[in-house]
Amino acid sequence: MMRAEVIFIPGPGIGHLGSLVEVSKLLVSRDDRISISILIINPSSDSSIHAFTQNLKEDAPDRIAFVDIPAPDETILKELMSKGPMNFLLSSIESQKTQVRDVVASILSRPESSKLAGFVIDMFCTPMIDVANEFNVPAYVYYTSAAASLGVVFYCQSLKDNENQDIYEYKDSDAELSIPSFSKPVPAKVLPSPMLSKDGSDRVTRLARRLRETKAIVVNTVLELEAHSVKSLVEDENTPLMYHVGPIIKLANGESTSQGQVSNEAIISWLDR
């Protein structure tokens, strides 16, 4: 029986990595002809990501394999880090396209290799669309956040392309924006702060354009939770096919109290208020 090999490329962050691995488990559980190789990009050699990945490997089915992508050498790493956190993330992923291409070619050269069916890439790994194109297979994006958030990304691009406006121009503004993925107007001042800078606005616009190049977008949401947002995206003829598969989360050891996270008690208290 010929298997279909799917390449998964998570973003280099525990939240993104854990969520995409959960999707890979769901996929192999649905069809025993599918094998998945998860390519782990860890540009900063973060020890916490390495430890988290080791835990994921222990819990993974046989048809899911993990492959570590070597970090850039120290010279390149220092140069990338000088660009700031977000630019470092995107530039480091861009810089590793050649390594990813070589790893995929190596996977396909094995005697027991399967037919390459496609790439599923994290929302921050859109440069890897180019690698999927080289292998002449479709690229799907896994969007870790919600459908309403994806709608904001596309809105930023639409604003730029159709009205020649940048979203960052609304910084400190009292304007309310009619974003299709929201049922009511959205105050500009509540948008994510990175969008409200020129550099961040440009990055979001570029991201939206690359997302539109994909075969489909897999969104970490559920229809009953975001009916309006999902409907607005599905009805947009310029948006790729969308699959809503969530909500999918992966909490370390089943808890949500690791460093940098808010305790369950604090969340429930906030909701009660």
Side-chain angles (χ1 to χ4, degrees):
M1 179 176 62
M2 174 61 77
R3 292 191 183 278
E5 181 77 25
V6 185
I7 303 297
F8 272 50
I9 308 180
I14 287 176
H16 291 252
L17 175 58
S19 186
L20 194 52
V21 169
E22 292 302 303
V23 174
S24 72
K25 292 179 184 178
L26 285 174
L27 191 56
V28 297
S29 71
R30 300 292 178 94
D31 195 322
D32 59 11
R33 295 169 298 176
I34 294 174
S35 296
I36 293 175
S37 293
I38 301 176
L39 310 191
I40 305 297
I41 295 176
N42 188 7
S44 61
S45 299
D46 187 337
S47 59
S48 65
I49 292 179
H50 177 73
F52 186 69
T53 304
Q54 292 304 116
N55 289 333
L56 293 175
K57 290 178 181 178
E58 294 174 4
D59 192 35
D62 292 339
R63 285 180 287 117
I64 296 178
F66 291 80
V67 182
D68 292 314
I69 302 298
D73 64 47
E74 287 299 322
T75 303
I76 296 175
L77 203 55
K78 287 179 181 178
E79 181 183 344
L80 294 174
M81 284 181 168
S82 67
K83 298 181 178 182
M86 184 54 70
N87 284 325
F88 165 69
L89 171 64
L90 300 176
S91 299
S92 63
I93 291 170
E94 179 83 32
S95 73
Q96 291 182 293
K97 288 196 297 185
T98 300
Q99 294 187 68
V100 167
R101 183 190 309 119
D102 293 344
V103 166
V104 174
S106 176
I107 292 170
L108 297 178
S109 68
R110 296 170 185 166
E112 72 281 7
S113 66
S114 308
K115 180 180 179 181
L116 183 61
F119 281 50
V120 178
I121 60 178
D122 181 82
M123 55 195 281
F124 288 131
C125 295
T126 53
M128 298 304 168
I129 294 172
D130 300 331
V131 183
N133 290 340
E134 289 187 41
F135 286 97
N136 198 30
V137 294
Y140 300 80
V141 160
Y142 177 63
Y143 195 83
T144 319
S145 192
S149 165
L150 177 60
V152 174
V153 171
F154 285 133
Y155 176 78
C156 290
Q157 183 205 356
S158 176
L159 196 66
K160 176 69 173 179
D161 293 349
N162 299 331
E163 302 181 35
N164 198 29
Q165 276 189 293
D166 289 295
I167 196 70
Y168 76 87
E169 295 174 21
Y170 287 99
K171 184 178 181 180
D172 301 323
S173 165
D174 291 327
E176 294 193 339
L177 307 175
S178 296
I179 300 175
S181 60
F182 287 83
S183 60
K184 295 182 180 180
V186 179
K189 59 188 175 185
V190 307
L191 292 174
S193 57
M195 289 185 179
L196 299 177
S197 68
K198 185 179 188 311
D199 185 44
S201 175
D202 290 343
R203 282 199 305 269
V204 170
T205 301
R206 290 196 300 271
L207 171 62
R209 290 180 179 136
R210 296 242 63 180
L211 290 175
R212 293 193 193 278
E213 298 175 31
T214 60
K215 178 77 172 178
I217 302 174
V218 182
V219 186
N220 186 11
T221 192
V222 61
L223 180 62
E224 290 81 359
L225 183 66
E226 291 194 283
H228 175 85
S229 300
V230 170
K231 185 172 184 287
S232 72
L233 290 166
V234 169
E235 292 179 349
D236 182 353
E237 295 179 355
N238 296 318
T239 299
L241 186 65
M242 190 181 80
Y243 298 102
H244 38 89
V245 300
I248 294 172
I249 58 174
K250 174 66 178 178
L251 302 175
N253 301 319
E255 300 292 337
S256 58
T257 55
S258 60
Q259 185 176 5
Q261 294 180 319
V262 181
S263 69
N264 286 335
E265 292 77 10
I267 293 170
I268 296 300
S269 175
W270 179 84
L271 287 170
D272 287 342
R273 291 198 303 273

